[in-house]
Amino acid sequence: MTTPPDWVMQLLPAAPTGAHLLAAERAGSNVDSGRIAELIHGGRAELASRARVEAAIAADPRLDMDESASWSRVEKIEHSLERGKVLKRLRKQHNWTDTEYAFATRIQGDGNVYNLHDSAFIRVLKDQSTDEQKAAFLADAENDRIIGCYAQTELSHGSNVRGLETTATWDPSDKTFIIHSPAITSAKWWIGSMGRTANYAMVMAQLIVGGKNIGPNTFLVPIRDLKTHEPLPNVFVGDIGPKVGYNLVDNGFAIFNQHKIPHLNMMARFGWVDPATNQFKRRGSPTLTYGGMTYLRVGIAFDAATALARGAAVAIRYTAVRQQFQDEDDPNAKGETAVLNYKMVQYRLLPALARSYALHFAGRELQALFNRFDTAMKSDQNAALAILGDLHLTSCAMKTYATTVAVEGIETCRRSMGGHGYSAYAGLGHLYGEQLPSATYEGDNYVLTKQVARSLLKSAGDVITGKGGDTPLDRALRHYAERKDTGAAFDVLNDDEQLVAAFGWRVAHQTFEILRLKMKAKETWNNLLVPIWRLSTAYSEWVTVRAFYERVSGAGRERLVADVGAPSADAIAQLFRLYALITLEERTGDFAESGAVNAQQFGLARHRAIGSVIDAVRPHALNLAEGWGLSDFVLNSSLGRSDGNGYEDMFRKAAANPVNGLTFDPDPNSDIMVKRRDRLAKL
Amino acid sequence: MTTPPDWVMQLLPAAPTGAHLLAAERAGSNVDSGRIAELIHGGRAELASRARVEAAIAADPRLDMDESASWSRVEKIEHSLERGKVLKRLRKQHNWTDTEYAFATRIQGDGNVYNLHDSAFIRVLKDQSTDEQKAAFLADAENDRIIGCYAQTELSHGSNVRGLETTATWDPSDKTFIIHSPAITSAKWWIGSMGRTANYAMVMAQLIVGGKNIGPNTFLVPIRDLKTHEPLPNVFVGDIGPKVGYNLVDNGFAIFNQHKIPHLNMMARFGWVDPATNQFKRRGSPTLTYGGMTYLRVGIAFDAATALARGAAVAIRYTAVRQQFQDEDDPNAKGETAVLNYKMVQYRLLPALARSYALHFAGRELQALFNRFDTAMKSDQNAALAILGDLHLTSCAMKTYATTVAVEGIETCRRSMGGHGYSAYAGLGHLYGEQLPSATYEGDNYVLTKQVARSLLKSAGDVITGKGGDTPLDRALRHYAERKDTGAAFDVLNDDEQLVAAFGWRVAHQTFEILRLKMKAKETWNNLLVPIWRLSTAYSEWVTVRAFYERVSGAGRERLVADVGAPSADAIAQLFRLYALITLEERTGDFAESGAVNAQQFGLARHRAIGSVIDAVRPHALNLAEGWGLSDFVLNSSLGRSDGNGYEDMFRKAAANPVNGLTFDPDPNSDIMVKRRDRLAKL
């Protein structure tokens, strides 16, 4: 088989076609997906900029990822290198902004071998170096004359940075640092771009001066020869092997054997070893710099929302096209009904859609908070410090929550597609695999929740001692503290404001419960980890539901109507209710315990209110999903195509997939395996 | 880099080593994993037989899967063909039984290109053919002279068999059937072994006789030339491309263009076209034969339990070795604490372990039911028909439930391993990918739940009209019908029998509620799909908790103590309580609605009882996980190794992974990509 016979190419899909069904879906709703897309992406200019980047990428055959799911790991990593080089050239050629370049490098979810150099390495170099060091290294890094990576995690230590085993020992005899890995478990591990690409690594190591361990510090360590690209003597470095996803990135390892680096290569902005006295000295405070790193978590929360929206868009399009069984409740039904008309499918997909919007609006709030911090940092450091606590709390909570919700939701979307969701051409298996590590990097989700809880407990303690401020959290805690004995009743089914308030009451209840267990019952931290996880989730859900509510009520609603028109604003308001109610139901145990919602309300939510809001969203599901403005190129899914021609596209890709170039000898008694190998034409 | 320098190979892991930590775990529990393994696998002889098969496979380098995660799809499918041939030869060489061969073909979760030929194709051929057809085809099939597949699903139709588009039109002029695909959507799709291997397909098609559609029937259709293995004229056949998992299987497609097959090739046991009269005639009833196919669902439920146990074993071993942070509650703690000591990790992993045991014991019950049916089918067909209803109900419910629980649980285990769980060398990403489609094949889980509900509703109707029998279901329904107005109170926290009874009450409540909505409120089926899904889950959980309870109480406990000794029996009884309580908590909404459990009980379950039983299980976690008797070869996970040397093994595999044979030119301005390619030695 090299090309299919004519009689195959002439076959059409059975009626009704996907194109017809999607057109009918779109026409059946007055939601304006174009205006929503402008709202989500920040305007028409931003959408156009994204489209330009996509067009440039789509036009370059070296960036074609159509067969990537069939590639070996070696092919993937080679393509990744080429992809990286081509994107850097396109960036220059088209004068892409940083935002455009960042979009280009993650356009279909796949990174490339330069990602960590472009982001973490250069950022750390800028943040933690002295002027002298900037002069020595920054231009080379920014012009890719050196390619770096950021090497913190080790084989046996990730979350616990203080437990890192790699040492950097000050050698007063020749004024160098000796980088050393004392055990196999101290190997740097998971380091993006270290595997095959980087020639420098920003290495976090225990600084030893005069026999004393000063603690973790950062060192700029050459790892490969700048000319030959061979590992330097006393450096053993390589790729850590295949992963569930991210196989276009060369996550790597490195082991050091008494590897000497110059004095200049210790990042010295906040502390250095004085070569004259051989003493370590701190200088300045890295707090605000570390605060600046919260932008990473803000970005992750945003990306999670978009990833979930991709899943929802693909699954909603496909289930609007996929028809299966006649409608059992309508004996006169002609033909089959779209799978999206099944309540069980709606019950899985529409909440995923609602969550993508909810996470987006919450992400916007978080970004606004970060921007206030960033502005303050440049003018009024005390003001910046005042914001930092809230920024840290909310970014930890939202990073954890958004990534958890997104990975769960993407997998829910994939499964709602039935068997075809398992095909690589559906695109969601890949999306899931790429999204998964977001739950681990930039702080393991379970570890971060403890930081969230500590911050909430502190606020609760302040409220008790009368020191609390006037943030929404302080007010919710105070409200609960005043009323908890009389109890609370929230009209969650008829009053959206009270629905939101019930989320706040739940947070306050859980916070004070943990405080009581810790203070009065002297409970161990370990025994509180499960309640702490629940609390962090509760807090994130409250932040999210509040951010969403502000968009669809009061002055927020007026702005929303102005932006997208009343019908679209109404549909988005239904998504708010769906998000709030489905979350309420999912957390029945929490809400019931706090007393915010009673059994009768749960029953009505479960059996009436959620069904009603799903019915209200259903006609607009496709247009709301398309409101994310995610192009076919970005979705990269046969079944999620905007033209509805998923079956034909699946067929074309399948027929041309490289496995079909093999002609087997299927006789088990024959020692011949493959009788013939053909190259197949792309259809 | 071809081999690492000596100073690398001499590095040891930092203390305490995995070997030391696992030894301490094992010594700290009096649970006897060896005796439990005998219980689970049916005796010492079965364990020995499995070990022999493993040894034969491990000894053959052609079956080495160590680098399979790095293979391209083409490499995977070529290895799969070779694997298939080698296993068939080993089967003869070692005289493997059918059970041993089946174990061998799925030993590490990967199938091969002959799986569907060996199972579904031959089974359908035996079940649905006449003696004349058996004489014509069976010996060739059983001796692999023809290689077949089972082709039901089409591109646009899966669950709805009546909607299949492929036609088989009787041609009275030459007494043949014309197999035809009228549209691209009628392409047979997902057909295991069809892609590159099979030369025959058992095709389900709409039989058209005299212009009339008789409905779906089965046809034995030649698709490739037996000599050249080229597709036959008018057949377009190929592999459907890469998938989330199962990439060693050539799931395929086929399109037929007026493809003629002989009269003999319509499977004619239950209906045939009389060539003399050109009329279709039914004969006999396929009901019991279809009943026999429930063995597939029984097998799937069992496999799901084992897959989950694999996940739990890997994760429990790794988290017992992985240490991170000092114990915060113990200021005098020396060194770090095992991640498995964290409550949040226990709260995720120990329920997964408990569920694997629960599903196993429930699977045993289901298998016993199937065996009664199978025995009856050979002697007393009325007795077999009497069992069939219950068998169908329970196999649909348990297939759905077990596969859902297993995939969720495996992913929970993988994530509990933190970053390293994302490495292919952890083994769980692969296991998850292979387990996923079990939720779709042999009946989509969501479609099957409707069949479960219909059966339960019929039983409830019978109870109301006084016709019900005396099964546990009938009794639970009757008990509820009698007491529902006065309500029920179950002492779920102190009395295991009442804990189990609460599960039955919940099932009865949900069944009668749906019956009421359907009968009195005339609710549409569509509006009931979500409650129906909940009901099927509730029923499965009741079946499971009952089967588990019978093993750990009364006469069951006596047998268990005789089999595994009192300490192991006690630990297994704790797993029963953990399974029941965690399920109760997870389904708070259901239990609360039914009135079986009140708010105070939920609070105590959540904050006391579950924690206590987790504390009771914790010391035995490793030994209970090892009670599954899953060898290192089967687990196929660096981090789940029984010797605890996961870090070293990860390092060895990573260093030798083929990507490390590439020396990059990392300069974005250079057009050279790879400067050198080396082959790496296995370490």
Side-chain angles (χ1 to χ4, degrees):
Chain A
M1 176 177 103
T2 42
T3 52
D6 285 346
W7 59 266
V8 169
M9 298 311 287
Q10 284 154 12
L11 281 176
L12 297 174
T17 63
H20 172 83
L21 292 163
L22 289 187
E25 281 283 341
R26 290 185 188 115
S29 161
N30 52 4
V31 165
D32 187 334
S33 54
R35 287 175 77 180
I36 298 177
E38 287 175 24
L39 174 73
I40 286 183
H41 296 289
R44 212 167 288 180
E46 280 68 19
L47 281 173
S49 129
R50 291 165 74 102
R52 279 195 307 274
V53 171
E54 284 177 27
I57 291 174
D60 195 313
R62 294 169 297 180
L63 302 178
D64 183 352
M65 297 286 287
D66 264 11
E67 273 184 7
S68 57
S70 294
W71 291 340
S72 71
R73 183 83 210 298
V74 165
E75 288 171 296
K76 281 180 183 165
I77 211 77
E78 285 190 54
H79 273 93
S80 173
L81 176 64
E82 183 170 30
R83 186 177 185 80
K85 292 191 183 191
V86 171
L87 288 174
K88 279 181 178 285
R89 292 175 197 191
L90 288 179
R91 176 190 203 169
K92 283 186 193 161
Q93 187 185 327
H94 297 287
N95 269 316
W96 284 343
T97 64
D98 289 355
T99 308
E100 286 170 330
Y101 177 65
F103 172 63
T105 59
R106 295 278 299 141
I107 197 160
Q108 293 176 321
D110 299 289
N112 69 64
V113 299
Y114 296 114
N115 285 162
L116 275 291
H117 167 72
D118 290 337
S119 56
F121 177 74
I122 288 180
R123 175 95 195 196
V124 170
L125 185 56
K126 281 182 179 167
D127 280 352
Q128 300 189 29
S129 63
T130 60
D131 289 345
E132 183 192 3
Q133 291 175 318
K134 283 190 183 71
F137 302 115
L138 196 55
D140 279 350
E142 290 186 326
N143 291 297
D144 301 327
R145 286 189 294 268
I146 66 174
I147 306 289
C149 57
Y150 180 69
Q152 177 171 314
T153 302
E154 296 177 358
L155 186 48
S156 71
H157 283 91
S159 298
N160 182 14
V161 176
R162 286 190 200 157
L164 292 176
E165 298 174 12
T166 305
T167 52
T169 306
W170 173 245
D171 184 344
S173 73
D174 60 0
K175 311 295 176 190
T176 61
F177 295 99
I178 303 166
I179 308 294
H180 186 63
S181 312
I184 196 85
T185 40
S186 17
K188 291 294 170 186
W189 206 267
W190 283 111
I191 313 307
S193 305
M194 176 178 262
R196 298 282 86 199
T197 313
N199 41 38
Y200 269 82
M202 203 60 90
V203 171
M204 180 87 84
Q206 306 285 357
L207 171 60
I208 314 279
V209 179
K212 193 177 152 226
N213 188 343
I214 308 289
N217 274 271
T218 310
F219 301 83
L220 180 61
V221 180
I223 56 172
R224 287 187 173 95
D225 186 280
L226 288 182
K227 290 223 174 81
T228 64
H229 204 59
E230 299 294 331
L232 294 175
N234 296 317
V235 177
F236 184 66
V237 58
D239 174 278
I240 63 164
K243 296 149 288 187
V244 175
Y246 268 85
N247 282 308
L248 268 73
V249 173
D250 54 329
N251 294 85
F253 64 82
I255 309 178
F256 304 100
N257 182 33
Q258 313 282 0
H259 180 53
K260 289 221 165 204
I261 64 168
H263 175 262
L264 183 67
N265 288 32
M266 172 173 163
M267 290 294 100
R269 179 169 167 199
F270 300 112
W272 73 312
V273 176
D274 183 340
T277 64
N278 300 314
Q279 297 294 312
F280 173 76
K281 290 182 187 165
R282 288 189 204 286
R283 48 190 186 192
S285 158
T287 308
L288 283 179
T289 299
Y290 293 157
M293 297 297 277
T294 53
Y295 87 96
L296 287 172
R297 291 200 197 108
V298 177
I300 291 170
F302 251 116
D303 286 350
T306 310
L308 179 54
R310 282 175 61 180
V314 166
I316 286 172
R317 279 213 186 113
Y318 170 66
T319 54
V321 168
R322 177 77 171 181
Q323 301 205 310
Q324 205 78 183
F325 293 110
Q326 289 197 341
D327 182 351
E328 211 178 352
D329 300 308
D330 177 5
N332 302 319
K334 281 182 189 156
E336 296 180 300
T337 189
V339 169
L340 184 55
N341 290 328
Y342 288 107
K343 291 287 165 199
M344 194 69 228
V345 172
Q346 294 168 9
Y347 190 78
R348 289 181 283 163
L349 286 183
L350 303 190
L353 178 66
R355 288 181 176 116
S356 72
Y357 275 81
L359 293 178
H360 174 79
F361 290 128
R364 277 288 172 97
E365 281 294 294
L366 179 57
Q367 194 176 41
L369 183 64
F370 177 80
N371 291 345
R372 282 202 298 281
F373 167 80
D374 203 43
T375 308
M377 202 161 58
K378 288 162 192 155
S379 55
D380 177 356
Q381 299 222 333
N382 283 332
L385 280 171
I387 299 171
L388 188 57
D390 192 18
L391 179 62
H392 182 70
L393 162 65
T394 309
S395 69
C396 286
M398 286 308 301
K399 183 270 177 185
T400 300
Y401 179 64
T403 55
T404 304
V405 168
V407 295
E408 303 290 346
I410 291 165
E411 183 63 5
T412 297
C413 291
R414 197 191 62 71
R415 291 190 203 165
S416 75
M417 298 169 74
H420 285 336
Y422 193 63
S423 165
Y425 304 141
L428 296 197
H430 179 78
L431 181 65
Y432 181 71
E434 296 279 315
Q435 192 59 30
L436 273 178
S438 66
T440 308
Y441 56 56
E442 282 309 305
D444 178 89
N445 280 358
Y446 287 95
V447 175
L448 288 184
T449 60
K450 214 165 145 186
Q451 305 200 28
V452 173
R454 280 192 204 271
S455 175
L456 294 174
L457 292 179
K458 184 176 175 309
S459 295
D462 286 349
V463 162
I464 288 175
T465 56
K467 287 186 294 186
D470 195 38
T471 66
L473 174 64
D474 295 324
R475 289 198 297 273
L477 290 167
R478 207 173 290 122
H479 178 78
Y480 177 85
E482 286 160 6
R483 307 270 181 96
K484 72 172 188 290
D485 297 326
T486 52
F490 296 91
D491 187 5
V492 294
L493 297 176
N494 304 301
D495 182 332
D496 288 346
E497 199 167 326
Q498 297 216 15
L499 178 56
V500 174
F503 279 74
W505 180 270
R506 165 191 173 217
V507 169
H509 170 81
Q510 293 178 213
T511 306
F512 280 113
E513 271 302 292
I514 294 174
L515 193 66
R516 184 183 63 76
L517 289 167
K518 191 73 214 145
M519 295 297 143
K520 302 247 168 86
K522 303 290 174 200
E523 195 56 270
T524 61
W525 278 113
N526 197 18
N527 278 336
L528 292 172
L529 289 180
V530 177
I532 279 173
W533 166 257
R534 288 195 190 112
L535 171 59
S536 179
T537 305
Y539 177 71
S540 307
E541 287 171 345
W542 182 45
V543 166
T544 304
V545 83
R546 231 168 56 213
F548 205 161
Y549 183 60
E550 278 169 20
R551 291 292 181 132
V552 298
S553 63
R557 173 170 166 90
E558 283 171 35
R559 278 195 306 275
L560 190 62
V561 169
D563 285 337
V564 300
S568 300
D570 289 343
I572 293 172
Q574 292 293 349
L575 288 181
F576 154 76
R577 277 183 62 74
L578 179 55
Y579 171 75
L581 289 171
I582 207 87
T583 304
L584 185 92
E585 201 228 346
E586 196 182 4
R587 313 298 184 197
T588 302
D590 280 12
F591 280 98
E593 254 184 26
S594 78
V597 182
N598 65 36
Q600 200 202 352
Q601 288 171 311
F602 279 123
L604 286 170
R606 200 180 207 195
H607 297 292
R608 298 263 164 244
I610 292 174
S612 301
V613 69
I614 281 181
D615 286 344
V617 170
R618 166 65 190 92
H620 311 295
L622 181 65
N623 291 17
L624 286 166
E626 294 185 339
W628 273 88
L630 301 165
S631 69
D632 284 342
F633 190 76
V634 165
L635 293 180
N636 194 18
S637 161
S638 293
L639 298 174
R641 284 168 68 101
S642 57
D643 64 8
N645 295 334
Y647 290 135
E648 298 95 305
D649 198 54
M650 283 253 285
F651 170 73
R652 269 195 302 272
K653 285 188 183 150
N657 104 74
V659 162
N660 286 324
L662 305 174
T663 301
F664 275 8
D665 181 341
D667 176 3
N669 298 311
S670 160
D671 288 329
I672 298 168
M673 299 288 154
V674 174
K675 295 160 77 133
R676 208 179 65 235
R677 289 169 199 273
D678 298 313
R679 282 184 72 93
L680 303 179
K682 204 164 176 173
L683 296 183
Chain B
M1 177 177 103
T2 42
T3 52
D6 285 347
W7 59 266
V8 169
M9 298 311 287
Q10 283 154 13
L11 281 176
L12 297 173
T17 63
H20 173 83
L21 291 163
L22 288 188
E25 281 284 341
R26 290 185 187 115
S29 161
N30 52 6
V31 164
D32 187 334
S33 54
R35 287 175 76 181
I36 297 178
E38 289 174 23
L39 173 74
I40 285 182
H41 295 290
R44 212 165 290 180
E46 279 68 18
L47 282 173
S49 129
R50 291 165 72 100
R52 278 195 308 273
V53 171
E54 283 178 28
I57 291 175
D60 195 313
R62 294 169 297 180
L63 303 178
D64 184 352
M65 298 285 288
D66 264 11
E67 276 185 5
S68 57
S70 294
W71 291 340
S72 70
R73 183 83 211 298
V74 164
E75 288 172 295
K76 282 181 182 165
I77 211 78
E78 285 190 54
H79 272 93
S80 174
L81 176 64
E82 183 169 31
R83 186 176 185 83
K85 292 190 183 191
V86 171
L87 288 175
K88 279 182 179 285
R89 292 175 196 188
L90 288 180
R91 176 190 203 168
K92 281 187 192 160
Q93 187 186 328
H94 297 288
N95 268 316
W96 284 344
T97 64
D98 288 353
T99 308
E100 286 170 330
Y101 177 65
F103 172 62
T105 59
R106 294 277 299 140
I107 197 159
Q108 291 177 324
D110 299 290
N112 69 64
V113 298
Y114 296 113
N115 285 162
L116 274 292
H117 167 72
D118 291 338
S119 57
F121 177 73
I122 288 179
R123 176 94 194 197
V124 170
L125 185 57
K126 280 181 179 168
D127 280 353
Q128 300 189 28
S129 63
T130 60
D131 288 345
E132 182 192 4
Q133 292 175 319
K134 283 190 183 70
F137 302 115
L138 196 56
D140 278 351
E142 289 186 327
N143 291 298
D144 301 327
R145 286 188 294 269
I146 67 175
I147 305 289
C149 57
Y150 179 68
Q152 178 173 311
T153 302
E154 295 177 356
L155 187 48
S156 72
H157 283 91
S159 299
N160 182 14
V161 176
R162 287 190 200 155
L164 293 177
E165 298 173 14
T166 305
T167 52
T169 306
W170 173 244
D171 184 344
S173 71
D174 60 358
K175 309 295 174 192
T176 60
F177 295 98
I178 303 166
I179 308 294
H180 186 63
S181 312
I184 198 82
T185 40
S186 20
K188 291 293 171 185
W189 206 267
W190 283 110
I191 313 306
S193 305
M194 175 179 262
R196 298 281 87 198
T197 314
N199 40 39
Y200 269 83
M202 203 60 91
V203 171
M204 180 88 84
Q206 305 285 357
L207 171 61
I208 316 280
V209 180
K212 194 179 151 223
N213 188 345
I214 308 289
N217 273 271
T218 310
F219 301 83
L220 181 61
V221 180
I223 56 172
R224 286 188 175 95
D225 186 279
L226 288 181
K227 289 221 175 82
T228 65
H229 204 57
E230 299 295 330
L232 294 175
N234 296 316
V235 177
F236 184 66
V237 57
D239 174 277
I240 63 163
K243 296 150 289 187
V244 174
Y246 267 85
N247 283 308
L248 269 73
V249 174
D250 53 331
N251 294 85
F253 65 81
I255 308 178
F256 304 101
N257 182 32
Q258 313 284 358
H259 180 50
K260 288 221 165 204
I261 62 168
H263 176 261
L264 183 67
N265 287 31
M266 171 175 164
M267 291 293 100
R269 180 168 165 201
F270 301 112
W272 73 312
V273 176
D274 183 339
T277 63
N278 299 314
Q279 297 294 311
F280 174 76
K281 291 183 186 165
R282 286 188 203 286
R283 49 191 184 190
S285 157
T287 308
L288 284 177
T289 299
Y290 292 157
M293 297 297 278
T294 53
Y295 88 96
L296 287 171
R297 291 201 198 108
V298 177
I300 292 170
F302 251 116
D303 286 350
T306 309
L308 179 54
R310 281 175 61 181
V314 166
I316 288 172
R317 278 211 186 116
Y318 171 66
T319 54
V321 168
R322 176 78 169 181
Q323 301 205 312
Q324 204 77 183
F325 292 109
Q326 290 197 342
D327 182 351
E328 212 178 350
D329 301 307
D330 176 6
N332 301 318
K334 282 183 187 153
E336 296 180 299
T337 189
V339 170
L340 183 55
N341 290 329
Y342 288 107
K343 292 289 165 197
M344 194 67 229
V345 173
Q346 295 168 11
Y347 190 79
R348 289 181 283 164
L349 286 183
L350 303 189
L353 178 65
R355 288 183 176 114
S356 72
Y357 273 81
L359 292 179
H360 174 79
F361 290 128
R364 277 289 172 96
E365 281 293 295
L366 179 58
Q367 193 175 41
L369 183 64
F370 177 80
N371 291 346
R372 284 203 298 281
F373 167 79
D374 202 43
T375 308
M377 200 161 60
K378 286 161 192 153
S379 55
D380 176 355
Q381 299 222 334
N382 283 333
L385 279 171
I387 299 172
L388 188 56
D390 192 17
L391 179 62
H392 182 71
L393 163 65
T394 310
S395 68
C396 286
M398 286 308 301
K399 183 270 176 185
T400 299
Y401 179 64
T403 54
T404 304
V405 168
V407 294
E408 302 291 344
I410 291 165
E411 183 62 6
T412 298
C413 291
R414 197 190 62 71
R415 290 189 205 167
S416 75
M417 298 170 75
H420 285 336
Y422 193 63
S423 165
Y425 305 140
L428 297 197
H430 179 77
L431 180 65
Y432 181 70
E434 296 278 316
Q435 191 61 28
L436 273 179
S438 66
T440 308
Y441 57 58
E442 282 309 304
D444 179 88
N445 279 359
Y446 287 95
V447 175
L448 287 183
T449 59
K450 212 165 146 186
Q451 305 200 27
V452 173
R454 280 193 205 271
S455 175
L456 294 174
L457 292 179
K458 183 177 177 308
S459 295
D462 287 350
V463 162
I464 289 175
T465 55
K467 287 186 296 188
D470 195 40
T471 65
L473 174 64
D474 295 324
R475 289 198 298 274
L477 290 168
R478 208 172 289 123
H479 178 77
Y480 177 85
E482 286 160 6
R483 307 271 182 96
K484 72 171 188 287
D485 297 326
T486 52
F490 297 90
D491 187 6
V492 293
L493 298 175
N494 304 300
D495 183 333
D496 289 345
E497 199 166 324
Q498 297 214 16
L499 179 54
V500 174
F503 278 74
W505 180 271
R506 165 190 174 216
V507 170
H509 170 80
Q510 292 180 210
T511 306
F512 280 113
E513 271 301 293
I514 294 175
L515 192 66
R516 184 183 64 77
L517 288 167
K518 190 76 212 139
M519 296 296 143
K520 301 247 169 86
K522 303 290 175 199
E523 195 56 271
T524 61
W525 279 113
N526 197 18
N527 278 335
L528 293 172
L529 290 179
V530 176
I532 279 173
W533 165 257
R534 289 195 189 113
L535 172 59
S536 178
T537 305
Y539 178 72
S540 307
E541 287 171 347
W542 182 44
V543 166
T544 305
V545 81
R546 232 167 58 213
F548 206 162
Y549 183 59
E550 278 169 21
R551 291 292 182 131
V552 300
S553 63
R557 174 172 166 88
E558 284 171 33
R559 278 195 306 275
L560 190 61
V561 170
D563 285 337
V564 300
S568 300
D570 289 344
I572 293 173
Q574 293 292 350
L575 289 182
F576 154 76
R577 277 184 62 74
L578 179 54
Y579 170 75
L581 289 171
I582 207 87
T583 305
L584 186 91
E585 201 228 345
E586 195 182 5
R587 313 296 185 198
T588 302
D590 279 12
F591 280 98
E593 253 183 27
S594 77
V597 182
N598 64 38
Q600 199 201 356
Q601 288 171 312
F602 280 122
L604 286 170
R606 200 179 205 195
H607 297 292
R608 296 264 164 246
I610 292 174
S612 300
V613 68
I614 280 180
D615 287 344
V617 171
R618 166 66 189 92
H620 310 296
L622 181 66
N623 291 17
L624 286 167
E626 294 185 339
W628 273 88
L630 300 166
S631 69
D632 284 340
F633 189 75
V634 165
L635 293 181
N636 194 19
S637 161
S638 293
L639 299 174
R641 284 168 68 101
S642 57
D643 63 9
N645 296 334
Y647 290 135
E648 297 95 306
D649 199 53
M650 283 251 286
F651 170 73
R652 269 195 301 272
K653 285 188 183 152
N657 103 73
V659 163
N660 287 325
L662 305 175
T663 301
F664 275 7
D665 181 340
D667 176 2
N669 299 311
S670 161
D671 287 330
I672 298 168
M673 298 289 155
V674 175
K675 296 160 74 134
R676 208 180 64 234
R677 292 170 197 272
D678 297 314
R679 283 182 71 92
L680 303 178
K682 205 164 175 171
L683 295 184

